[in-house]
């Protein structure tokens, strides 16, 4: 059984709660190596997404993802808005107008999201960015055969490991790169929010 637009909306709503619950953690991570606004920006963006979903729920998964993209781009400040917006927009394009998402479609959407983030941010694995979480997540999802929940669970596990891998890294992109060697010893906030979102999506899929 695939994931319908209603399922995707449910997943996004749950993710918004997770972002709100982890807002202070993301702020602390960004205080260490950035400008301390990642948590608040992500909370504001997903709050706006939920409001738009409630006002006019889209009728296909792709349209849900596109709404998420356009809302994040218009409401999230800093680098996160364009990067996450691009990720969701590319995922929406990869999904197209299908009525339900299956395992393969989810894997394609994640790959498209990663491609979009790399194109937008010009980052690579090892630069201490969300790419370090999203890249292994995509690889894990593409190797999974079966359900959407299984693909997302594998992606979430890999993203968590990827986020942890950023702790010893020296940042080569974004505001954190200004700190040079002092950026080592701290987890990248974008990689952490990526891991949180994927874990939330996986948890919601497992319940459906």
């Amino acid at each position: 059984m695939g994931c319908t637009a209603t399922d995707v909306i449910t997943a996004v709503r749950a993710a918004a709660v997770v972002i709100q619950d982890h807002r202070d953690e993301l702020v602390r991570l960004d205080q260490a190596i950035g400008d301390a606004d990642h948590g608040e920006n992500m909370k504001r963006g997903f709050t706006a997404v939920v409001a738009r979903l409630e006002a006019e729920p889209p009728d296909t998964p792709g349209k849900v993802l596109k709404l998420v993209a356009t809302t994040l781009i218009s409401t999230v400040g800093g680098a996160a808005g364009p990067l996450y917006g691009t990720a969701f927009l590319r995922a929406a394009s990869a999904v197209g107008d299908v009525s339900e998402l299956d395992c393969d479609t989810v894997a394609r959407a994640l790959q498209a999201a990663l491609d979009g983030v790399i194109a937008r941010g010009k980052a690579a694995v090892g630069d201490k960015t969300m790419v370090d979480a999203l890249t292994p997540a995509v690889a894990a999802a593409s190797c999974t055969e079966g359900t959407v929940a299984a693909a997302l669970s594998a992606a979430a596990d890999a993203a968590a490991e990827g986020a942890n891998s950023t702790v010893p890294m020296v940042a080569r992109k974004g505001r954190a790169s200004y700190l040079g060697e002092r950026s080592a010893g701290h987890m990248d906030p974008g990689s952490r929010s990526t891991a949180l979102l994927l874990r939330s999506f996986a948890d919601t899929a497992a319940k459906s």
Side-chain angles (χ1 to χ4, degrees):
M1 183 176 178
C3 291
T4 65
T6 299
D7 295 326
V8 179
I9 290 171
T10 299
V12 173
R13 283 177 170 167
V17 173
V18 168
I19 290 297
Q20 180 169 329
D21 289 346
H22 288 268
R23 179 258 183 203
D24 292 349
E25 176 194 355
L26 295 173
V27 166
R28 288 193 299 271
L29 290 174
D30 205 24
Q31 278 177 334
I33 59 174
D35 48 13
D37 64 353
H38 187 62
E40 183 57 32
N41 283 343
M42 292 294 286
K43 176 187 171 184
R44 180 173 64 250
F46 274 88
T47 298
V49 166
V50 170
R52 286 197 62 192
L53 288 173
E54 291 177 350
E56 192 172 348
D59 59 2
T60 67
K63 289 179 181 177
V64 176
L65 295 173
K66 185 175 181 180
L67 181 149
V68 174
T70 56
T71 306
L72 292 180
I73 289 170
S74 64
T75 59
V76 178
L83 290 172
Y84 270 115
T86 299
F88 278 99
L89 196 60
R90 292 288 189 92
S93 295
V95 167
D97 58 1
V98 298
S99 59
E100 292 188 359
L101 304 181
D102 59 16
C103 182
D104 290 340
T105 309
V106 168
R108 287 200 307 274
L110 288 172
Q111 180 66 64
L114 172 61
D115 292 344
V117 169
I118 291 173
R120 184 85 190 201
K122 309 297 189 229
V125 171
D127 285 344
K128 199 182 180 89
T129 71
M130 63 192 292
V131 171
D132 291 296
L134 196 51
T135 298
V138 169
S142 64
C143 292
T144 305
E145 295 182 3
T147 65
V148 169
L152 288 173
S153 181
D157 288 344
E161 292 182 13
N164 287 332
S165 78
T166 68
V167 174
M169 292 178 183
V170 174
R172 296 196 292 252
K173 290 289 182 180
R175 186 176 293 271
S177 66
Y178 302 159
L179 298 176
E181 296 289 336
R182 287 180 296 155
S183 64
H186 304 281
M187 182 181 294
D188 173 66
S191 69
R192 176 58 175 155
S193 60
T194 297
L196 287 171
L197 288 172
L198 286 171
R199 173 50 58 196
S200 179
F201 293 154
D203 289 346
T204 301
K207 296 173 186 175
S208 62

